[in-house]
Amino acid sequence: MRRHINVSLSSARPSGTLVAGSRLSHPLAHPPPTTSVGIWGRLEMSDSEEHHFESKADAGASKTYPQQAGTIRKNGHIVIKNRPCKWSGNHASLLVDMKVVEVSTSKTGKHGHAKCHFVAIDIFNGKKLEDIVPSSHNCDVPHVNRTDYQLIDISEDGFVSLLTESGGTKDDLRLPSDEALLTQIKDGFAEGKDLIVTVMSAMGEEQICALKDIGPKN
């Protein structure tokens, strides 16, 4: 004689959770995988499921790294308003992939935190930004890289063709917006000189930031 073991469900348990030791007497021998919260408050998942989680906080984490505000110094970099900056004074740079141009630290306030006043310049567009951060708090600092390429050609629409180390070409950059640098590049190329340009990259952006003249072409 075939015996059936009935399933006992407690109203206090989440829907789809089975009592330990029971079997399912439903025509479906293998019910769809379920996710439920067990008695220990732990998330339980079926072994047949693959779950992939992506942390939003980790997205783009490789583009920046944390640094305590009180340790950021002049000519350092900082991110302000999601832009990379650099500062070069006694105030800290902005959180915008900028260069810090000024950093000043106030005395400890009534809440026990000294504050850093950052004044910085966006390393790509030259805009000035400011921010005030408790000196003990972390700021985002951009990874700023510089790579040299040999200039091969300049297109009519302002794009440059650069020779990479692997022998390929990089053709996705425009001429710089800085007038002085732009003139040097155009004049040197027109004179037939071998030119090496330095490309600065940070937080997903790239821009030609410097020029090296290595003499006339052979």
Side-chain angles (χ1 to χ4, degrees):
M1 179 182 293
R2 181 179 298 177
R3 293 186 302 172
H4 294 275
I5 300 176
N6 293 327
V7 177
S8 175
L9 299 176
S10 170
S11 59
R13 293 184 176 84
S15 175
T17 304
L18 303 180
V19 175
S22 65
R23 293 184 179 179
L24 201 65
S25 59
H26 192 277
L28 293 175
H30 301 285
T34 59
T35 302
S36 61
V37 178
I39 59 175
W40 303 109
R42 180 170 55 88
L43 187 65
E44 300 174 343
M45 298 179 182
S46 167
D47 292 337
S48 63
E49 293 181 278
E50 290 186 6
H51 295 266
H52 302 280
F53 299 93
E54 180 178 356
S55 171
K56 291 184 179 179
D58 291 338
S62 61
K63 297 178 181 178
T64 63
Y65 62 92
Q67 183 173 338
Q68 193 174 59
T71 66
I72 298 177
R73 296 291 179 261
K74 181 179 178 179
N75 291 323
H77 292 89
I78 188 173
V79 176
I80 295 177
K81 298 178 183 177
N82 294 322
R83 293 294 306 165
C85 303
K86 187 173 182 178
W87 63 275
S88 59
N90 289 325
H91 298 281
S93 82
L94 303 177
L95 289 174
V96 292
D97 199 351
M98 304 178 71
K99 178 178 180 179
V100 179
V101 292
E102 295 180 54
V103 182
S104 62
T105 303
S106 66
K107 295 181 179 179
T108 302
K110 61 180 180 179
H111 298 296
H113 291 290
K115 290 183 172 58
C116 294
H117 178 206
F118 293 97
V119 178
I121 303 300
D122 189 309
I123 61 175
F124 290 118
N125 60 35
K127 291 183 178 180
K128 183 177 180 181
L129 298 175
E130 297 187 39
D131 198 11
I132 297 177
V133 183
S135 61
S136 60
H137 288 198
N138 281 343
C139 292
D140 285 332
V141 175
H143 289 288
V144 180
N145 299 305
R146 289 174 174 81
T147 307
D148 289 338
Y149 299 94
Q150 183 175 353
L151 178 63
I152 299 175
D153 195 13
I154 300 176
S155 67
E156 294 182 356
D157 55 357
F159 281 89
V160 296
S161 182
L162 308 175
L163 180 65
T164 66
E165 287 186 352
S166 62
T169 60
K170 180 177 177 62
D171 306 297
D172 58 348
L173 286 179
R174 286 184 175 276
L175 288 166
S177 56
D178 180 81
E179 290 295 336
L181 181 58
L182 175 62
T183 299
Q184 290 177 12
I185 293 175
K186 284 186 172 182
D187 290 350
F189 183 76
E191 294 170 9
K193 294 182 178 180
D194 274 333
L195 303 176
I196 300 295
V197 297
T198 300
V199 175
M200 177 171 56
S201 61
M203 298 180 67
E205 293 187 46
E206 291 183 310
Q207 182 174 287
I208 296 175
C209 64
L211 173 67
K212 299 175 184 177
D213 180 353
I214 58 175
K217 291 184 179 181
N218 295 326

